[in-house]
């Protein structure tokens, strides 16, 4: 940006959500407009130079897109940008960036916690505690187990580092095979997924949602896993076919699952996953730490300064692939 005119930034939040903390710092440098749905976005988009999108499920942008007459850059305050990848945006010149890096470490901590909860059977210990029941038993060791991280990007790399620190062996799956990766024992290509599933004790989904990953974990994938293996999904819900997962758990094809994301969110209260003793579930919160909303605004401001100075932006999304990096 080279003009001296104050740029216009439209912030798109989910309906009912408050404005992101820290917007006063944006207002000191730009005209800020707020939108929360298609109607308000149609009003705010004309003349908008930059968008900050905090609603990672939004369909409003695609619907209001014809009103974007000056838009240059969209920043998503999420790692996943699948909701933004509609054809007109993919094929057009507008730059898209994401929040890569903000949630990596906390998501990795969630994964390590899930692994240790399974290994040490903490869900059953909590049930015994609630029942005031003293029940000694032996539990598993985590050390020496193999972890397959499907999606060896920045989040996957942090997962690999943490599980390696406790003596586990991290393997990755990526679009292309990588040799001599410093954080993984090996990074295998997508074509090797089925083979690698049969070798892993823990399978962690850390991939973005793209046409290639949607429904990737289906009956065939679960049949390829060990019957002692656990699945951990901190990526996107639609990567896993929920009905196939339930069937795999019912049939003993896998030993358990830790799920932070689901095909349908919120998960309906009558869904059979709620009742399973070998399933750990959380409400799409694996990366959310105290202060994360302000951290996202600060990251946007850092990139906004670069944009304002005409410099290259970090975390630029490859729109044809659907993720950054």
């Amino acid at each position: 940006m080279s003009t001296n005119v104050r740029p216009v930034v439209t912030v798109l939040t989910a309906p009912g959500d408050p404005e992101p903390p820290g917007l006063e710092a944006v207002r000191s440098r730009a005209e800020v407009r707020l939108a929360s749905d298609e109607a308000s976005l149609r009003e705010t988009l004309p003349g908008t130079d930059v968008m900050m999108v905090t609603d990672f499920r939004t369909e409003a942008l695609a619907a209001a897109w014809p009103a974007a007459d000056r838009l240059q850059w969209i920043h998503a305050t999420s790692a996943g940008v699948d909701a933004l990848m509609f054809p007109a945006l993919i094929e057009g010149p507008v730059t898209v960036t994401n929040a890569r890096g903000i949630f990596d470490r906390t998501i990795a901590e969630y994964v390590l916690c899930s692994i240790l909860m399974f290994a040490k059977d903490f869900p059953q210990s909590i049930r015994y505690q609630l029942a005031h029941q003293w029940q000694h038993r032996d539990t598993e060791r985590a050390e020496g187990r193999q972890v397959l991280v499907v999606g060896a990007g920045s989040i996957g790399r942090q997962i690999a580092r943490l599980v390696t620190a406790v003596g586990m062996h991290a393997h990755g799956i990526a679009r292309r095979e990588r040799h001599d990766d410093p954080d993984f024992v090996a990074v295998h290509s997508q074509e090797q997924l089925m083979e690698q599933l049969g070798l892993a004790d823990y399978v962690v989904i850390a991939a973005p949602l793209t046409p290639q990953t949607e429904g990737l974990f289906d009956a065939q994938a679960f049949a390829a896993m060990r019957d002692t293996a656990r699945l951990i999904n901190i990526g996107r819900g639609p990567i896993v076919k929920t009905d196939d997962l339930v069937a795999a758990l019912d049939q003993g094809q896998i030993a358990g699952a830790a799920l932070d994301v689901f095909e349908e969110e919120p998960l309906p209260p009558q869904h059979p996953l709620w009742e399973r003793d070998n399933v750990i579930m959380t409400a799409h919160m694996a990366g959310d730490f105290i202060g994360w909303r302000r951290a996202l605004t600060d990251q946007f401001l850092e990139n906004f300064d670069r944009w304002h100075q005409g410099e290259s932006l970090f975390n630029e999304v490859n729109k044809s692939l659907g993720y950054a990096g």
Side-chain angles (χ1 to χ4, degrees):
M1 160 134 186
S2 57
T3 179
N4 291 323
V5 178
R6 278 169 63 86
V8 177
V9 176
T10 288
V11 179
L12 176 62
T13 63
D17 280 1
E19 68 174 49
L23 274 192
E24 62 277 2
V26 183
R27 289 190 174 95
S28 69
R29 309 175 213 185
E31 176 189 337
V32 174
R33 301 172 180 174
L34 300 177
S36 60
D37 53 23
E38 179 186 345
S40 57
L41 190 57
R42 286 186 182 275
E43 294 180 1
T44 57
L45 267 180
T48 292
D49 300 289
V50 176
M51 282 193 68
M52 177 182 177
V53 180
T54 68
D55 182 4
F56 64 88
R57 297 185 181 94
T58 185
E59 297 179 357
L61 183 57
W65 189 249
D69 59 353
R70 206 170 76 185
L71 192 60
Q72 300 177 40
W73 165 40
I74 297 172
H75 177 74
T77 60
S78 58
V81 294
D82 43 278
L84 301 180
M85 293 296 104
F86 53 91
L89 176 55
I90 294 171
E91 297 162 8
V94 176
T95 299
V96 178
T97 58
N98 74 350
R100 186 184 190 202
I102 294 293
F103 302 109
D104 294 6
R105 184 70 179 192
T106 45
I107 289 176
E109 291 172 358
Y110 176 99
V111 170
L112 179 59
C113 175
S114 298
I115 290 172
L116 295 176
M117 286 181 71
F118 279 127
K120 302 308 172 189
D121 198 20
F122 256 70
Q124 185 58 50
S125 293
I126 293 170
R127 286 189 286 270
Y128 282 138
Q129 180 180 347
L130 292 173
H132 297 192
Q133 183 176 351
W134 181 279
Q135 182 64 54
H136 179 273
R137 63 209 189 282
D138 298 333
T139 58
E140 304 169 18
R141 297 184 65 173
E143 184 181 14
R145 303 289 186 171
Q146 180 164 315
V147 180
L148 181 66
V149 183
V150 182
S154 63
I155 294 174
R157 187 171 298 284
Q158 287 290 337
I159 294 168
R161 290 173 181 170
L162 284 191
V163 300
T164 299
V166 297
M168 305 181 81
H169 306 298
H171 289 247
I173 294 288
R175 283 196 311 125
R176 298 187 182 89
E177 186 176 13
R178 298 203 298 259
H179 299 284
D180 300 322
D181 189 288
D183 296 308
F184 292 91
V185 175
V187 176
H188 312 277
S189 68
Q190 181 71 36
E191 291 73 25
Q192 297 172 284
L193 173 63
M194 293 301 166
E195 174 189 351
Q196 291 301 315
L197 285 175
L199 303 174
D201 299 293
Y202 294 92
V203 177
V204 182
I205 301 173
L209 179 61
T210 68
Q212 291 71 39
T213 62
E214 185 170 3
L216 180 64
F217 277 77
D218 56 8
Q220 181 184 5
F222 294 125
M225 291 173 61
R226 294 176 172 179
D227 60 9
T228 56
R230 280 89 170 207
L231 177 76
I232 301 172
N233 188 7
I234 48 78
R236 280 290 185 260
I239 296 176
V240 174
K241 291 187 176 181
T242 308
D243 290 345
D244 290 356
L245 171 61
V246 172
L249 290 165
D250 287 342
Q251 296 163 18
Q253 289 181 306
I254 64 173
L259 308 169
D260 185 57
V261 290
F262 304 85
E263 277 189 290
E264 181 181 2
E265 294 183 5
L267 191 70
Q270 71 277 11
H271 198 280
L273 282 173
W274 288 108
E275 302 300 325
R276 300 203 62 97
D277 289 347
N278 59 347
V279 174
I280 300 168
M281 295 194 299
T282 49
H284 204 139
M285 52 183 278
D288 295 349
F289 55 92
I290 296 170
W292 63 272
R293 291 178 177 84
R294 180 56 195 254
L296 289 173
T297 302
D298 290 343
Q299 184 188 52
F300 168 75
L301 283 168
E302 185 178 350
N303 233 355
F304 182 78
D305 285 341
R306 298 172 69 93
W307 176 82
H308 199 270
Q309 297 299 323
E311 300 174 0
S312 60
L313 304 177
F314 59 81
N315 286 2
E316 183 170 350
V317 171
N318 183 322
K319 293 188 289 184
S320 64
L321 297 178
Y323 54 87

